[in-house]
């Protein structure tokens, strides 16, 4: 484990990747060979950035592809320790559908066979697809089954680099931070369905038969109008039997049925407040005999691999500044010293590029209309000369 000083304390840094040494990242990251047509990653800072070197990361480069890549580090257990997983995501392409999350695996993962079927410990990060799915995944494996968080957490969708942080503590509390600000927190047992509920409804108790929990009832004084009861369909007596109707072939002819214009649907009495309403019956709760606490939900053994196992319709996402540590303060400082220092210049560069592009588009548009105007003017002059020539010829002929 690498040690990183923060004041008098030392943070255990299990994994840290900033892609600052050029092509050497390929020695640390393993591409999966599970499928022959997996998408390729490239190292780049993208079209706009805060720093051309520090902002380089792994970017998806091919549309409509699955991606699978991972990096291994020395195995560790987070038992009795805080676990912090952090990285930056930049959906430069204004992603319409695709994942931006990471997965944490045990040491026995076959990296060259990494796929969506590979068992993982933790899945964390943004996922976007269409207008409905714009969320941050927090999925923890417990007893070989993935358990997603029940709270909705919205991710960022603006195309800039954002910092995502997951903190899992030994007291089984957690926090999700975006850009070093808490967006969700709670208790693992409460917010993910790892265990049976602590309390259940007492199966021996039934609701009293006289308990009225109807909020509204039919008005007993409301009576159906006499002219209401009309059939939905009536015979069209204005119809005439077709001349070519053959009773032997088609059977006896009958008037066709048509929708009754007087039909008003099924009558129902109006609703009124129930004078005997007693509210929702409070079913007595008892301790669940199937519940037993587990204070090790948060912990995993042999944590050893971080991976990107995603699908993207439109490529262009950049992953950078990966960090796995046991120190929340170190992670926050690391985020401020990486994403925090380049986010401002990145936005400025993007705004400048956008303004320049708009200026180019305006210039192109102006040039186009100017050329059209010139051509129109030339055609007008040419047609004027033609008329003058025709007039001269006509006079000469006359």
């Amino acid at each position: 484990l690498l040690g990183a000083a923060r004041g008098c304390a030392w943070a255990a840094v299990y994994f840290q990747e900033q892609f600052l040494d050029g092509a050497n990242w390929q020695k640390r990251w393993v591409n999966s060979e599970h499928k022959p047509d997996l998408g390729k990653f490239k190292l780049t800072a993208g079209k706009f950035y805060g720093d051309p070197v520090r902002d380089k990361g792994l970017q998806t480069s091919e549309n409509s592809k699955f991606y699978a890549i991972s990096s291994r580090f020395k195995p560790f257990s987070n038992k009795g320790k805080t676990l912090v997983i952090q990285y930056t995501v930049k959906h430069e392409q204004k992603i319409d559908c695709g994942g931006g999350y990471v997965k944490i695996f045990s040491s026995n993962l076959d990296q060259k066979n990494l796929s969506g079927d590979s068992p993982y410990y933790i899945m964390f990060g943004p996922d976007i697809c269409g207008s409905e799915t714009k969320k941050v995944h927090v999925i923890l494996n417990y007893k070989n089954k993935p358990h997603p968080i029940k709270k909705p957490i919205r991710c960022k969708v603006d195309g800039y680099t954002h910092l995502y942080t997951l903190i899992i503590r030994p007291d089984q509390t957690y926090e999700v931070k975006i850009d070093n600000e808490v967006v969700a927190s709670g208790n693992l047992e409460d917010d993910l369905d790892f265990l049976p509920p602590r309390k259940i409804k007492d199966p021996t108790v039934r609701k009293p038969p006289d308990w009225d929990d109807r909020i509204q009832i039919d008005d007993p004084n409301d009576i159906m109008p006499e002219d209401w009861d009309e059939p939905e369909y009536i015979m069209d007596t204005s119809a005439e039997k077709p001349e070519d109707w053959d009773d032997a072939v088609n059977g006896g002819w009958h008037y066709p049925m048509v929708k009754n214009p007087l039909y008003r649907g099924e009558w129902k009495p109006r609703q009124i407040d129930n004078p005997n309403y007693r509210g929702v019956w409070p079913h007595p709760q008892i301790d669940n005999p199937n519940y037993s606490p587990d204070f090790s939900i948060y912990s995993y053994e042999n944590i050893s691999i971080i991976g990107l196992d995603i699908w993207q319709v439109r490529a262009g996402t950049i992953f950078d500044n990966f960090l796995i540590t046991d120190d929340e303060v170190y992670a926050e400082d690391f985020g401020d010293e990486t994403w925090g220092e380049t986010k401002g210049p990145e936005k400025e560069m993007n705004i400048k590029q956008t303004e320049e592009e708009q200026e180019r588009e305006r210039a192109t548009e102006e040039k186009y209309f100017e050329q059209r105007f010139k051509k129109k003017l030339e055609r007008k002059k040419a047609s004027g000369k033609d008329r003058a020539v025709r007039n001269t010829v006509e006079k000469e002929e006359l």
Side-chain angles (χ1 to χ4, degrees):
L1 302 181
L2 300 175
R6 279 293 178 271
C8 297
W10 282 79
V13 179
Y14 307 110
F15 181 78
Q16 187 169 306
E17 176 67 87
Q18 294 173 262
F19 305 102
L20 299 176
D21 57 351
N24 287 325
W25 71 270
Q26 297 176 44
K27 300 174 184 176
R28 299 186 295 272
W29 291 78
V30 177
N31 285 296
S32 175
E33 299 171 4
H34 180 74
K35 292 173 65 178
D37 60 342
L38 289 171
K40 300 292 189 294
F41 285 95
K42 65 179 181 180
L43 186 66
T44 178
K47 297 174 183 175
F48 56 91
Y49 42 80
D51 186 287
V53 176
R54 296 170 66 190
D55 282 352
K56 282 186 177 180
L58 294 186
Q59 184 183 48
T60 54
S61 64
E62 299 174 84
N63 294 337
S64 300
K65 291 280 188 179
F66 285 100
Y67 291 83
I69 195 170
S70 61
S71 185
R72 185 180 291 270
F73 45 88
K74 186 177 178 180
F76 74 95
S77 170
N78 68 317
K79 188 173 183 179
K81 304 173 188 174
T82 296
L83 176 62
V84 184
I85 301 164
Q86 181 172 283
Y87 67 110
T88 56
V89 186
K90 177 189 180 188
H91 292 309
E92 185 177 80
Q93 74 281 38
K94 298 288 181 72
I95 191 168
D96 50 358
C97 189
Y101 44 81
V102 298
K103 290 181 178 180
I104 306 298
F105 302 90
S106 71
S107 59
N108 61 8
L109 172 73
D110 177 4
Q111 289 178 265
K112 289 196 173 182
N113 199 34
L114 171 62
S115 73
D117 296 326
S118 301
Y120 59 86
Y121 283 154
I122 299 169
M123 175 172 151
F124 167 64
D127 192 12
I128 297 171
C129 198
S131 58
E132 295 184 3
T133 304
K134 290 180 173 65
K135 64 182 178 182
V136 177
H137 285 294
V138 178
I139 304 176
L140 305 187
N141 187 298
Y142 178 70
K143 294 186 177 179
N144 298 318
K145 184 180 177 183
H147 293 267
I149 194 169
K150 293 183 284 187
K151 286 182 178 177
I153 308 173
R154 186 175 173 83
C155 65
K156 300 290 185 178
V157 295
D158 57 15
Y160 293 114
T161 300
H162 292 284
L163 182 73
Y164 287 85
T165 309
L166 172 64
I167 302 169
I168 299 175
R169 305 187 184 95
D171 63 0
Q172 311 218 111
T173 60
Y174 72 91
E175 276 186 8
V176 175
K177 295 162 72 175
I178 302 179
D179 298 343
N180 268 341
E181 293 185 2
V182 177
V183 294
S185 62
N187 184 282
L188 294 177
E189 186 177 335
D190 294 337
D191 294 347
L192 294 91
D193 289 326
F194 294 109
L195 306 174
R198 294 185 181 90
K199 298 280 187 178
I200 59 170
K201 294 176 181 178
D202 188 343
T204 64
V205 180
R206 297 285 182 269
K207 184 172 67 174
D210 61 343
W211 188 283
D212 195 341
D213 56 7
R214 296 173 299 164
I215 298 175
Q216 290 195 316
I217 59 171
D218 294 344
D219 184 352
N221 299 318
D222 192 16
I223 301 172
M224 183 178 73
E226 294 181 359
D227 61 347
W228 187 284
D229 195 11
E230 287 280 349
E232 185 174 359
Y233 292 93
I234 57 175
M235 286 191 297
D236 182 7
T237 54
S238 65
E240 296 181 357
K241 182 178 179 180
E243 295 180 0
D244 60 349
W245 185 274
D246 189 336
D247 289 348
V249 176
N250 302 316
W253 184 81
H254 302 282
Y255 287 114
M257 302 297 287
V258 294
K259 191 82 174 179
N260 184 358
L262 301 178
Y263 178 67
R264 298 165 68 180
E266 180 185 356
W267 182 83
K268 292 180 180 179
R270 64 172 172 264
Q271 297 289 290
I272 61 171
D273 292 337
N274 182 3
N276 299 318
Y277 175 65
R278 298 176 63 183
V280 178
W281 179 64
H283 199 137
Q285 303 276 303
I286 62 170
D287 291 335
N288 184 356
N290 297 319
Y291 170 81
S292 59
D294 185 346
F295 302 107
S296 63
I297 290 172
Y298 74 97
S299 70
Y300 298 97
E301 299 296 324
N302 296 316
I303 301 171
S304 187
I305 294 169
I306 186 169
L308 299 169
D309 170 38
I310 57 175
W311 159 264
Q312 290 203 334
V313 174
R314 192 189 308 170
T317 301
I318 299 175
F319 299 87
D320 194 11
N321 302 312
F322 293 93
L323 176 69
I324 301 177
T325 180
D326 67 349
D327 193 309
E328 298 179 41
V329 176
Y330 178 82
E332 186 169 329
D333 290 346
F334 181 75
D336 287 337
E337 292 165 7
T338 52
W339 161 84
E341 291 184 4
T342 60
K343 63 172 181 174
E346 175 192 79
K347 194 169 186 177
E348 290 170 9
M349 185 176 184
N350 179 240
I351 292 171
K352 185 179 179 182
Q353 286 180 351
T354 303
E355 290 173 348
E356 290 173 349
E357 178 63 28
Q358 289 173 347
E359 186 59 39
R360 284 194 296 270
E361 288 176 358
R362 278 195 295 270
T364 302
E365 194 173 285
E366 287 172 5
K367 189 176 181 181
Y368 169 75
F369 283 111
E370 187 179 337
Q371 289 174 345
R372 280 190 62 186
F373 179 74
K374 284 181 179 178
K375 287 179 180 178
K376 192 174 181 181
L377 203 60
E378 287 169 2
R379 285 196 300 269
K380 203 170 184 181
K381 286 179 180 178
S383 62
K385 287 178 181 178
D386 288 344
R387 280 198 300 273
V389 171
R390 282 199 301 271
N391 290 339
T392 303
V393 170
E394 287 172 2
K395 286 177 182 177
E396 289 174 354
E397 287 176 348
L398 181 61

